[in-house]
Amino acid sequence: MKIPILDLKSQYQKLKAEIDQAIANVLESSQFVLGPEVKKLESEIADYLDVKYAIGVNSGTDALIIALRSLDIGLGDEVITTPFSFYATAESISVVGAKPIFADIDINSFNIDPKTIVDKITSKTKGIMPVHLYGQPAAMSNINSIAKEYNLKVIEDCAQAFGAVYYGDCVSCNQDCHQDTRQHLTGKHVGSIGDVGAYSFYPTKNLGAYGDAGMIVTNDDKIADLAKMLRVHGSKKSYHNELLGYNSRLDSLQACILRVKLKYINQWNQARHHIAQTYNQLLENTPDIIVPQITQGHVFHQYTIRVTNGKRNQLKDFLAQQGIGSMIYYPIPQDQLPVYENQYQPSPVSIKLADEVLSLPIYPELSLEDVKIVTENIHKFQTDH
Ligand SMILES: *Cc1c(COP(=O)(O)O)cnc(C)c1O
């Protein structure tokens, strides 16, 4: 690909000296699992996000699973979530023995639509799991008020949104739309708004390790205590195991890489935001293309357009022929995946968007000239078809 959807190598080349040194230091110390590097990363991330606790684990998926377990959510319980996400979201709920219940999404934000949550609440509902999809904060103010009214826990899936800041739901439409009138003017990092947040540091995420890694964040002492136990086989003290837990420790090598990268995350997220703005300007008024809303605090893990003329797959193939990468996140809503064997009726908005979405190349090192080439090719496709 001339313009890939993502380029991890260019970032490594820029940081090579720093990262190689950090890795060499860990090898020299020979403390490979948890240890001082992980402790430092946890405290730096807790400071960055302004939360009391950050607990490093093996992956974003484990962060979700352990977060649910720490809230004592399991067999017989229901958790309401979005149908439009990577399967790890619903999978974590199923894996702990609970049942995912799918609301629908808001067509402008791609995030869970709070208006569709209340109808799904039953006596078994224990929690709501919003996803800050593509790096855009979900409508947390609405979600938190529903949770408060029905006594539910809120578990934020922040896997795609490291650095994203939530500035409140829009006052005029009561959604997380891009209006400038916000209920709250001081922003909060995602993960610090609900009861517990789960982050992924999978290599392709905005803050990515060089292998699997994740983190649980919370301000709640009890959740933090349980999460710390669950990541090490349910023990506080070695060989005195109290709970059925996991081996979900964070590696020092991943932690030292993340510590180097954390220093650059704001700069990288700003670059992503700028790329998204440029795309929006260049794609404005293209027939059958709907560009994403640009909200304050959105970190554009993905830049995702809607192709509304039924030719999304043809556009994707055309771009590939020109050497331009693109991806469909997600072709099948989670509730329609084979694993759930027709247990769920599709949610209308999510099933519609699964046929329309197309994510274009975005990463901090992507040049604006390349953005221009991508958009010129989209224009060319639209005039030829
Ligand atoms: C990546 C991702 C996860 C899972 O994270 P891993 O670190 O790959 O386990 C969960 N939810 C969403 C929305 C993701 O994008």
Side-chain angles (χ1 to χ4, degrees):
M1 288 284 165
K2 274 189 310 213
I3 308 178
I5 186 155
L6 177 71
D7 177 5
L8 295 176
K9 202 164 175 179
S10 65
Q11 189 182 74
Y12 171 62
Q13 279 158 348
K14 283 191 183 163
L15 299 179
K16 186 173 173 17
E18 260 186 288
I19 287 189
D20 290 1
Q21 186 59 54
I23 290 174
N25 293 346
V26 170
L27 297 183
E28 203 55 50
S29 80
S30 289
Q31 299 214 43
F32 294 118
V33 176
L34 296 176
E37 280 298 312
V38 172
K39 275 224 161 66
K40 282 182 203 156
L41 176 72
E42 288 174 338
S43 91
E44 287 162 6
I45 285 188
D47 282 351
Y48 179 89
L49 299 175
D50 195 19
V51 289
K52 204 162 160 193
Y53 302 102
I55 299 146
V57 293
N58 231 313
S59 68
T61 307
D62 275 9
L64 288 168
I65 291 171
I66 294 175
L68 288 163
R69 288 279 317 276
S70 303
L71 289 165
D72 198 24
I73 292 174
L75 206 64
D77 298 333
E78 293 178 353
V79 177
I80 298 170
T81 190
T82 167
F84 206 59
S85 180
F86 177 57
Y87 170 54
T89 307
E91 186 185 35
S92 68
I93 299 167
S94 297
V95 155
V96 301
K99 185 171 184 189
I101 301 292
F102 299 95
D104 205 353
I105 55 172
D106 168 55
I107 199 155
N108 297 312
S109 69
F110 307 100
N111 278 327
I112 193 166
D113 180 349
K115 289 196 301 292
T116 64
I117 293 177
V118 176
D119 278 352
K120 302 280 177 177
I121 295 174
T122 71
S123 58
K124 294 178 178 169
T125 311
K126 286 282 163 60
I128 306 173
M129 186 182 282
V131 179
H132 307 295
L133 198 75
Y134 307 148
Q136 175 165 237
M140 292 307 295
S141 166
N142 270 282
I143 292 167
N144 274 351
S145 22
I146 295 168
K148 199 165 168 208
E149 188 176 340
Y150 293 90
N151 194 23
L152 309 174
K153 300 293 181 190
V154 176
I155 307 102
E156 298 178 64
D157 181 340
C158 309
Q160 302 190 359
F162 196 94
V165 180
Y166 171 74
Y167 289 95
D169 303 348
C170 171
V171 171
S172 46
C173 72
N174 225 14
Q175 297 287 312
D176 51 339
C177 86
H178 62 301
Q179 304 301 315
D180 286 322
T181 45
R182 298 296 176 118
Q183 287 173 13
H184 317 287
L185 289 176
T186 41
K188 285 182 89 174
H189 276 285
V190 298
S192 69
I193 308 158
D195 293 280
V196 57
Y199 280 92
S200 165
F201 304 123
Y202 184 74
T204 62
K205 309 287 177 170
N206 285 28
L207 180 64
Y210 290 163
D212 279 310
M215 200 159 276
I216 297 160
V217 300
T218 186
N219 287 311
D220 185 298
D221 301 347
K222 198 172 147 229
I223 295 173
D225 258 9
L226 279 166
K228 276 184 212 158
M229 287 174 74
L230 288 166
R231 78 170 164 182
V232 286
H233 303 286
S235 61
K236 264 192 196 115
K237 197 172 148 202
S238 300
Y239 315 114
H240 290 73
N241 310 69
E242 299 167 55
L243 298 166
L244 276 183
Y246 308 88
N247 172 1
S248 190
R249 300 169 297 220
L250 179 59
D251 286 348
S252 309
L253 285 172
Q254 301 307 341
C256 83
I257 291 159
L258 291 166
R259 290 188 64 217
V260 171
K261 290 195 176 193
L262 184 61
K263 295 187 287 185
Y264 300 96
I265 189 68
N266 286 349
Q267 181 186 318
W268 290 338
N269 282 340
Q270 271 158 23
R272 286 174 181 273
H273 213 264
H274 188 55
I275 289 165
Q277 274 168 332
T278 310
Y279 266 128
N280 269 23
Q281 277 156 14
L282 295 171
L283 287 173
E284 218 175 22
N285 305 322
T286 312
D288 306 317
I289 299 287
I290 300 177
V291 298
Q293 60 184 23
I294 296 189
T295 53
Q296 207 187 341
H298 187 334
V299 290
F300 286 94
H301 173 60
Q302 300 297 343
Y303 176 84
T304 304
I305 58 170
R306 289 171 54 202
V307 186
T308 56
N309 58 359
K311 296 193 173 137
R312 188 264 319 267
N313 293 354
Q314 281 150 274
L315 173 59
K316 184 178 192 301
D317 292 345
F318 173 80
L319 291 174
Q321 282 155 20
Q322 313 304 311
I324 296 167
S326 64
M327 289 289 269
I328 298 162
Y329 300 117
Y330 294 91
I332 306 172
Q334 303 189 88
D335 53 346
Q336 301 305 305
L337 289 169
V339 57
Y340 292 122
E341 295 175 333
N342 305 320
Q343 284 175 49
Y344 300 99
Q345 283 294 330
S347 307
V349 182
S350 73
I351 199 85
K352 171 181 163 67
L353 291 191
D355 287 333
E356 294 183 353
V357 289
L358 189 66
S359 299
L360 302 178
I362 193 160
Y363 47 92
E365 299 78 16
L366 180 67
S367 72
L368 297 181
E369 292 81 73
D370 281 351
V371 171
K372 196 151 171 257
I373 295 170
V374 175
T375 60
E376 281 165 0
N377 278 284
I378 293 172
H379 288 142
K380 186 161 185 304
F381 176 85
Q382 294 299 87
T383 37
D384 294 354
H385 289 78

